[in-house]
Amino acid sequence: MSAHINKTHDPTLRSWLASANEPGGDFPIQNLPFGLFRTSAKEPGRIGVALGRSVVDIAASHKHGAFAGCSPEAEEALSTCQGSTLNALMALGSNRWAAVRRALQAALVEGSATRESVVLVEQADAEMLLPVEIGDYTDFYCSIHHATNVGSMFRPDNPLMPNYKHLPVGYHGRASSVVISETPVRRPSGQKRPAEGEAPPFGPSALLDYELEVGFFIGAGNALGEARDLDTVADDLFGFCLVNDWSARDVQAWEYQPLGPFLAKSFMTSISPWIVTTEALAPFRVAAFERPDGDPTPLPHLDSEGNRSRGGLDLRLEVHVTSEKMRAESQKPHRLSTGNFNTMYWTAAQMATHHGSNGCNMRPGDLLASGTVSGPGKDSRGCLLEITWRGAEPVSLPSGEERKFLADGDELTLSGWCEAEGAVRIGFGECRGLVLPAT
């Protein structure tokens, strides 16, 4: 089931870069997530990997001989890192991804003979860009806790639709409005539910929300009309990121029937800048969500021993908010919720397999997102719709303010990390967004 633990995960490995060895850091040598950066607005993006507080410029390091002596497979993969997106690397498949990871680690490990050839840029001096040309974006609805909570607000006696436990529910999102972390989110306008007998009003959303999600990118993909089995799809997931699927709840409530989310979601989706590779996550694989007695077994094409035993991911998640007043008073961010991706009813591989089960062609760089990650407790709800129960239970901020939904000037920060016994902690960095007033 996808990547397995190997020498690149060795917890005793250390880098010659001191900041990569700091306890609790997001980017040790066992991580090496990919991203796109630049140091000037006048230059194109460059592909790099995060190491400690620095970025390794892959193309420049390759030019200077940092990866001398690497395998032909690694050379092929490194040649794709001359461009300004990760799509070509993603298209090569898991064998090439593993080869380039080994080459990178060999250059960055303590005692490396090519250390002086590695070109570094401080992350503080780098502007992060969208690392993938995203052809298609699909959002799922795969937390049973989230689906049950939201469903019970509107259908208390029957919160889950009949299909929920048989297939991963999803919808096609808008790829053009997927943006990188720290891109401000402009409060959207839209139609809202009218009073009886009146025309629907149009104006800025009053119920702007966030959604804590996890995203994952397709690698080589499949040809049109050719479905693939679950374990093959699992091996074709290039890597994972954090996703904030901003949502206008009042617009959504009016428009979603009969065809589901549309303008309430399409105005913006934020992703974190670093893509943590599937291979780096191997030590944190866990069993898929254990379904309660009486729940249906997934159909054969959505079931395998590998998925049952290692399809889940022990990825811990947090959401913090700061209001404009809090920042002015130098107050610390307020934690809204915590969660874990291992509570999802459907695994990432099941979502991707279902997506292609009808012959839909998945392409390198396609982004899939999990849907809101919510757990069983109130402190693990992944959006304000759930946390405040449609605004009936407002959140109290340290500044004395209350929030039912997001206000202009609020900044949301999503973070995530993986920890396990016998493994080095790795992180995802942050996914941030500041709410601006509607135009």
Side-chain angles (χ1 to χ4, degrees):
M1 177 66 181
S2 193
H4 292 276
I5 297 174
N6 55 48
K7 292 181 180 179
T8 66
H9 305 106
D10 184 349
T12 66
L13 291 177
R14 292 173 62 83
S15 173
W16 46 259
L17 182 66
S19 66
N21 305 320
E22 295 174 354
D26 277 350
F27 307 122
I29 196 170
Q30 291 83 358
N31 192 350
L32 304 181
F34 286 84
L36 188 72
F37 75 99
R38 65 184 180 188
T39 54
S40 167
K42 298 179 180 179
E43 67 181 21
R46 292 175 274 164
I47 294 173
V49 295
L51 182 70
R53 291 191 295 275
S54 297
V55 183
V56 179
D57 186 327
I58 296 179
S61 298
H62 191 205
K63 180 180 179 181
H64 287 84
F67 312 114
C70 68
S71 68
E73 292 81 6
E75 277 289 350
E76 182 183 0
L78 288 164
S79 69
T80 68
C81 295
Q82 311 295 317
S84 58
T85 75
L86 289 168
N87 295 67
L89 176 62
M90 291 175 167
L92 293 179
S94 58
N95 288 338
R96 301 302 189 272
W97 308 336
V100 76
R101 176 176 166 82
R102 291 192 296 269
L104 286 164
Q105 202 172 73
L108 301 172
V109 73
E110 204 169 45
S112 166
T114 59
R115 166 181 174 174
E116 299 302 323
S117 300
V118 176
V119 178
L120 297 177
V121 173
E122 289 296 307
Q123 287 189 31
D125 298 329
E127 177 191 0
M128 301 306 298
L129 306 172
L130 199 65
V132 180
E133 184 178 343
I134 302 171
D136 283 296
Y137 162 52
T138 300
D139 195 19
F140 285 87
Y141 189 59
C142 286
S143 166
I144 194 166
H145 303 295
H146 173 66
T148 301
N149 283 337
V150 174
S152 65
M153 295 176 191
F154 304 97
R155 301 178 302 276
D157 298 329
N158 190 25
L160 294 179
M161 292 296 186
N163 64 354
Y164 191 85
K165 296 182 179 181
H166 294 276
L167 56 82
V169 176
Y171 72 94
H172 290 288
R174 182 72 185 175
S176 67
S177 53
V178 177
V179 300
I180 201 69
S181 172
E182 298 195 21
T183 303
V185 54
R186 180 72 63 178
R187 182 177 296 274
S189 293
Q191 286 191 29
K192 287 159 277 188
R193 189 184 302 278
E196 188 172 351
E198 297 184 6
F202 180 89
S205 170
L207 307 182
L208 182 61
D209 202 355
Y210 73 91
E211 290 192 351
L212 169 64
E213 304 194 18
V214 173
F216 41 100
F217 289 91
I218 298 296
N222 60 286
L224 182 66
E226 296 181 3
R228 297 178 297 169
D229 68 81
L230 182 61
D231 290 340
T232 300
V233 171
D235 287 335
D236 191 41
L237 300 182
F238 176 79
F240 291 69
C241 67
L242 306 177
V243 174
N244 186 346
D245 186 36
W246 304 92
S247 300
R249 299 299 188 188
D250 42 1
V251 177
Q252 183 178 0
W254 173 236
E255 73 171 6
Y256 83 102
Q257 293 180 333
L259 294 181
F262 187 39
L263 301 186
K265 301 275 192 176
S266 64
F267 61 94
M268 182 178 284
T269 301
S270 302
I271 67 171
S272 53
W274 296 110
I275 302 175
V276 178
T277 63
T278 299
E279 185 175 24
L281 293 167
F284 314 103
R285 287 288 182 182
V286 295
F289 180 80
E290 186 174 350
R291 299 184 173 213
D293 292 341
D295 277 17
T297 300
L299 293 177
H301 71 289
L302 294 176
D303 191 26
S304 74
E305 190 284 326
N307 187 73
R308 290 191 298 272
S309 63
R310 302 186 67 245
L313 179 62
D314 187 3
L315 168 56
R316 307 177 193 188
L317 302 161
E318 286 190 346
V319 181
H320 289 82
V321 65
T322 60
S323 68
E324 191 170 13
K325 182 179 180 183
M326 288 172 65
R327 293 191 297 276
E329 296 174 353
S330 300
Q331 296 189 12
K332 294 181 179 179
H334 175 72
R335 188 172 68 187
L336 288 172
S337 67
T338 62
N340 197 308
F341 194 55
N342 65 14
T343 62
M344 302 301 281
Y345 195 79
W346 298 96
T347 68
Q350 286 173 317
M351 296 179 217
T353 300
H354 173 67
H355 201 319
S357 63
N358 66 342
C360 173
N361 53 321
M362 311 294 286
R363 297 177 295 182
D366 282 358
L367 173 64
L368 280 63
S370 63
T372 304
V373 180
S374 292
K378 185 174 181 179
D379 62 346
S380 60
R381 296 174 181 172
C383 62
L384 284 172
L385 178 68
E386 291 178 83
I387 293 171
T388 70
W389 210 255
R390 297 177 69 189
E393 303 171 13
V395 172
S396 296
L397 301 181
S399 56
E401 302 168 278
E402 284 190 340
R403 288 290 183 273
K404 297 179 181 180
F405 291 92
L406 295 173
D408 294 344
D410 287 349
E411 184 176 40
L412 266 291
T413 303
L414 280 53
S415 56
W417 67 95
C418 294
E419 291 180 305
E421 186 176 353
V424 173
R425 175 196 187 277
I426 67 173
F428 280 62
E430 295 180 337
C431 180
R432 303 166 69 96
L434 176 68
V435 179
L436 300 181
T439 53

